[in-house]
Amino acid sequence: MNPTDTPVTTPRPRLLPWLLRLHRPGLAVWAALVAVLTLTLLAMWGPLGDAAADGWRQYRACVGDGPCGYDQDAIIRYRDVYTYTTFAVIGLPFLVAAWAGAALVGREMESGTAHLAWTTGLSPTRWLAAKLAAPAALVAVGTGLLVLLHHLAWSANRNRIDTSKSWHDSPTLHANGPTTVALALAGLAAGALAGLLWRRTLPALVAGLGFTVVLRVAADLAMPHLWPTVTRVTGLDTGYVMEGVEVDSGLVTAHGAHIADPGCGPTFVEGCAEMYAKLDATGFYREYHPESHYWPLQLTTTALLLAVAAGLTVTAFALLRRSTATTRTPSPTPTPDPAPTREEAAV
């Protein structure tokens, strides 16, 4: 090699333009989805909610048995739009997980695009960091905006529309708070890890989506136990007071013990008073979370989901580092020239 020759180096790809060009379809779909849901939630907060509230005001003003005119279509329209929009918002984490497993990582591992990027001077660790950083920011901003607008629309109409969902209704509870944002980030990390594990598009999609579903169910089960409950005792002739997120319920005995409820009902039901007398029961108890526990429940569950997302991300980087380290071939060591023979030395 001529010492004056300069070595030819392959330029490193510019990360942001490369990512935008590579995932342009997914970015377009995400932007369109966020835009449509934003406009829908603004309509619920404004004209749709106002029309439904007027319809309920007309309905409550009806008296007597005569014909009553009220805007039933506005009431039904708001109810349907609220239901569909709420499920769309809480469904975003599963969409993110499926996309991350299939398109973000799984397809690139299967097609060899990831290995091609690594040969252009982009290390595997930097490749994965770039893969996760930009989508994580877009997912956090998009879901955060939609959750905020959903909470504002629900809060503006909860006392005006008779069919408004309660704060502890499960879809409303998650669509109104940061647990959906945290679950979306966990879904992104789960999809990326699934793509690195299976290295194929369809299995990574199914695995990332399935793990996010399991995580959502686990979060729902854990949420009521992440904050101390409030216990309320009512008389045997009253029954339970159904409000808030229930954790446990049953009968209270004369000695203060909590026992299982046989399910008979209040004492005015035939035979129930005699049954409770045999059990030495004096009332019903119910352990639950009132509305004042809304933010403690939201924040503790969000922290738990973010911890899981961080654990999945660390696991993905460790897996990538280990898998790429085993595939690297060590650089060949130079072989020394053989010693000259006697004949070659004599010459």
Side-chain angles (χ1 to χ4, degrees):
M1 178 178 177
N2 193 332
T4 60
D5 295 340
T6 57
V8 178
T9 59
T10 304
R12 293 186 178 183
R14 298 174 63 188
L15 288 181
L16 186 57
W18 169 63
L19 285 173
L20 293 177
R21 184 173 62 254
L22 191 62
H23 298 293
R24 189 178 303 165
L27 178 62
V29 171
W30 177 256
L33 185 59
V34 172
V36 169
L37 289 176
T38 297
L39 293 176
T40 305
L41 288 168
L42 288 174
M44 288 170 50
W45 190 9
L48 287 179
D50 293 340
D54 289 339
W56 278 109
R57 193 179 303 111
Q58 296 165 7
Y59 178 82
R60 288 190 292 267
C62 293
V63 292
D65 298 329
C68 179
Y70 66 98
D71 195 350
Q72 184 179 19
D73 293 338
I75 294 174
I76 296 176
R77 187 182 306 115
Y78 178 85
R79 182 199 63 189
D80 292 342
V81 171
Y82 180 89
T83 301
Y84 298 143
T85 306
T86 300
F87 279 98
V89 171
I90 64 175
L92 290 177
F94 309 108
L95 179 64
V96 170
W99 173 78
L104 186 66
V105 177
R107 184 177 62 189
E108 292 202 27
M109 298 296 292
E110 183 177 13
S111 64
T113 308
H115 293 82
L116 180 62
W118 301 341
T119 61
T120 60
L122 187 64
S123 67
T125 300
R126 190 164 176 240
W127 170 83
L128 183 59
K131 279 284 184 181
L132 292 178
L138 293 175
V139 166
V141 171
T143 53
L145 173 64
L146 295 177
V147 162
L148 174 62
L149 291 176
H150 191 283
H151 189 90
L152 292 173
W154 172 83
S155 299
N157 296 316
R158 63 178 302 191
N159 296 322
R160 302 194 303 161
I161 298 176
D162 293 5
T163 53
S164 292
K165 295 294 184 179
S166 62
W167 71 270
H168 54 84
D169 172 69
S170 181
T172 299
L173 177 65
H174 289 289
N176 274 349
T179 55
T180 297
V181 182
L183 185 62
L185 294 175
L188 177 67
L193 179 58
L196 294 174
L197 282 172
W198 274 268
R199 297 172 177 263
R200 294 175 59 193
T201 302
L202 186 58
L205 184 153
V206 174
L209 181 60
F211 184 82
T212 308
V213 171
V214 172
L215 188 57
R216 168 61 191 273
V217 173
D220 284 345
L221 294 176
M223 175 183 277
H225 305 282
L226 298 177
W227 197 257
T229 59
V230 172
T231 301
R232 184 168 182 176
V233 178
T234 54
L236 292 174
D237 57 342
T238 305
Y240 298 106
V241 176
M242 305 304 293
E243 60 181 19
V245 179
E246 181 177 316
V247 177
D248 192 18
S249 62
L251 297 175
V252 180
T253 66
H255 301 286
H258 290 180
I259 61 176
D261 183 1
C264 187
T267 51
F268 58 78
V269 178
E270 183 179 358
C272 289
E274 293 79 6
M275 178 183 295
Y276 295 146
K278 294 178 181 178
L279 295 173
D280 196 23
T282 58
F284 295 101
Y285 79 91
R286 187 169 181 266
E287 297 180 3
Y288 70 103
H289 293 284
E291 189 172 359
S292 60
H293 289 189
Y294 172 79
W295 281 112
L297 292 176
Q298 283 281 350
L299 295 178
T300 52
T301 308
T302 299
L304 180 63
L305 290 171
L306 289 177
V308 173
L312 292 172
T313 304
V314 171
T315 304
F317 276 99
L319 176 64
L320 179 63
R321 192 177 298 111
R322 187 179 66 178
S323 61
T324 53
T326 56
T327 56
R328 290 175 188 162
T329 56
S331 58
T333 56
T335 305
D337 295 334
T341 61
R342 289 183 179 180
E343 291 79 3
E344 293 173 341
V347 175

